[in-house]
Amino acid sequence: MKKILYFSLLILAVVSCKKNDKIKEEAEEKPLNVEIVRYDKVFFETKPQDFPKLKAQYPQFFPESMTPQQEQALLESISDPMWRKLYQQVEKRYDNFDKQKEEIEKLFKYVQFYYPSTKIPKIYTMINNADPEQKVIYDRDKNVLIISLEMYLGKDSWVYEYPEYLKKTFEEGQMLPDVVDQLSFGKIKPPTERDFLSQIIFAGKQMYMKDMFLPEVTDEDKICYTAEEIKWCEENDVEVWKYFVEQNYLYSPDQKLIQNFIAPGPFSKFGMDNDKDTPSRIGVWLGWQIVRSFMENNDIPAQKMMVLDAKEIFQKSKYKPAK
């Protein structure tokens, strides 16, 4: 019996590898050029007397709602010592953006493979206000995507005065996953229910979209975990799942569960003495594994899975923790 199971798993793995190789070949064979404008360079290399020319060339960064005071503050930031220091830090890290451009182009090849009608946005890099909520901005109406490079200088950069759990999201490896997060909206059906299961499966769909668009990126970077945190999840998934079931959390509409197990934080909040040893967002991890299990056990295009209801995905996933 064990031999039969072993060979069944081996055959499944071989078939999966061949399928992934075919997707990679088809997705990456077509040439694609993404236009990336280094607006951060343009802005900080503009002389104050040429500021009107900058406004005329890039009106999208100077909306009519901008007040004269805000515009004056922008002008002054060009020569402000602290802003200049930040610009120099970004330049030191991203003076040559060729590698990142190549990675972004590969990402969009997979986007177009799965969603051929998706238009490739024009991409601008800029230096913003070091706001974790605005690392990547995607304007679907204008088909513009903005990447704030000051948010990818590494967790130990002097720029950041944030808690450690946020600082680790400021590594360069988070740039592409952050782009996918923005692209996923509109492609994934929002939860129709408020229960915890619907929320974690929605998060799991977002993670699976990273599997689709970023097949060469590690699981650690996709979910922003350390290798140790991944190991913790793999070694404790049975206990975590059992806890959620025994506490009747799966179909609970209690929104505190989102804060405890889905929202960013230093750790997941079980209300136990060893909470600090747990990775944050454990609900996201579990939702991801449920969606992966569904895709392994059902012959359905990933795009169609993204619009299925959570309960159908869960029921057909045959999800069972590893141990």
Side-chain angles (χ1 to χ4, degrees):
M1 182 67 180
K2 288 184 178 179
K3 287 184 178 179
I4 294 174
L5 179 60
Y6 171 78
F7 284 113
S8 297
L9 292 173
L10 182 61
I11 291 171
L12 183 62
V14 171
V15 171
S16 178
C17 287
K18 287 183 178 180
K19 180 180 179 181
N20 291 338
D21 288 343
K22 184 178 180 181
I23 290 174
K24 176 180 173 65
E25 181 180 352
E26 291 185 19
E28 297 184 16
E29 69 177 0
K30 294 182 180 179
L32 183 149
N33 181 59
V34 175
E35 183 181 1
I36 300 179
V37 177
R38 291 297 305 273
Y39 181 72
D40 53 308
K41 283 178 176 282
V42 174
F43 182 84
F44 282 98
E45 292 175 8
T46 295
K47 296 178 181 178
Q49 60 268 29
D50 293 331
F51 196 67
K53 294 180 182 178
L54 180 73
K55 286 179 54 181
Q57 188 174 359
Y58 298 96
Q60 60 269 43
F61 292 105
F62 299 88
E64 293 182 1
S65 59
M66 181 177 287
T67 66
Q69 292 79 9
Q70 290 173 326
E71 187 175 311
Q72 181 63 26
L74 274 180
L75 172 59
E76 292 173 357
S77 67
I78 292 177
S79 54
D80 180 271
M82 286 301 297
W83 280 101
R84 299 298 303 179
K85 184 179 179 182
L86 177 57
Y87 171 58
Q88 290 167 6
Q89 189 82 4
V90 170
E91 273 292 275
K92 183 178 179 180
R93 185 69 176 264
Y94 295 111
D95 179 39
N96 187 319
F97 208 66
D98 291 346
K99 178 177 77 73
Q100 291 78 16
K101 183 177 188 294
E102 182 178 341
E103 291 172 346
I104 291 170
E105 287 178 342
K106 183 179 290 188
L107 185 162
F108 277 103
K109 286 183 178 182
Y110 281 94
V111 174
Q112 289 207 319
F113 172 81
Y114 287 103
Y115 296 91
S117 63
T118 298
K119 295 181 180 179
I120 305 302
K122 187 172 183 178
I123 298 175
Y124 294 88
T125 63
M126 67 179 300
I127 295 175
N128 210 335
N129 294 314
D131 184 350
E133 299 296 322
Q134 296 186 331
K135 297 169 72 181
V136 177
I137 301 170
Y138 181 33
D139 187 327
R140 287 163 183 75
D141 294 333
K142 297 179 181 178
N143 202 31
V144 167
L145 189 141
I146 297 172
I147 301 174
S148 299
L149 291 183
E150 86 282 3
M151 299 310 302
Y152 302 99
L153 295 176
K155 64 180 181 180
D156 297 324
S157 173
W158 61 268
V159 174
Y160 310 122
E161 295 182 1
Y162 288 104
E164 289 299 320
Y165 74 87
L166 280 179
K167 285 184 178 181
K168 71 177 186 177
T169 71
F170 303 154
E171 297 288 347
E172 181 182 342
Q174 291 304 296
M175 188 183 299
L176 295 182
D178 286 345
V179 170
V180 176
D181 278 338
Q182 290 298 308
L183 295 174
S184 69
F185 293 103
K187 292 180 171 61
I188 301 176
K189 182 180 179 180
T192 55
E193 304 290 341
R194 291 170 58 85
D195 60 87
F196 184 56
L197 180 66
S198 295
Q199 302 303 319
I200 66 171
I201 289 182
F202 177 74
K205 288 179 179 181
Q206 291 178 308
M207 293 304 306
Y208 194 82
M209 190 159 280
K210 295 175 185 178
D211 288 339
M212 294 162 60
F213 296 167
L214 302 172
E216 296 177 3
V217 170
T218 65
D219 281 0
E220 287 88 340
D221 278 340
K222 287 174 186 172
I223 196 169
C224 197
Y225 275 1
T226 63
E228 291 73 22
E229 288 174 323
I230 292 282
K231 183 179 179 181
W232 190 97
C233 291
E234 293 173 344
E235 292 179 347
N236 294 275
D237 56 355
V238 173
E239 289 76 12
V240 171
W241 184 250
K242 183 179 178 182
Y243 173 84
F244 285 157
V245 172
E246 290 179 346
Q247 296 295 319
N248 296 315
Y249 282 168
L250 294 184
Y251 297 101
S252 171
D254 187 350
Q255 296 303 289
K256 288 183 180 178
L257 297 176
I258 294 177
Q259 290 299 318
N260 291 346
F261 303 112
I262 297 177
F267 47 79
S268 293
K269 302 176 181 65
F270 294 91
M272 301 180 182
D273 292 338
N274 63 343
D275 277 2
K276 291 184 178 180
D277 298 329
T278 69
S280 68
R281 301 175 299 125
I282 193 67
V284 177
W285 166 267
L286 280 177
W288 191 13
Q289 306 320 305
I290 292 171
V291 172
R292 280 178 163 177
S293 182
F294 173 88
M295 291 303 296
E296 289 171 2
N297 289 293
N298 294 271
D299 185 15
I300 181 175
Q303 304 93 311
K304 290 188 177 180
M305 177 275 293
M306 292 294 174
V307 298
L308 292 180
D309 287 332
K311 289 182 177 61
E312 180 177 355
I313 289 176
F314 178 57
Q315 290 166 359
K316 295 181 178 179
S317 69
K318 301 179 183 178
Y319 173 71
K320 189 176 182 180
K323 292 183 180 179

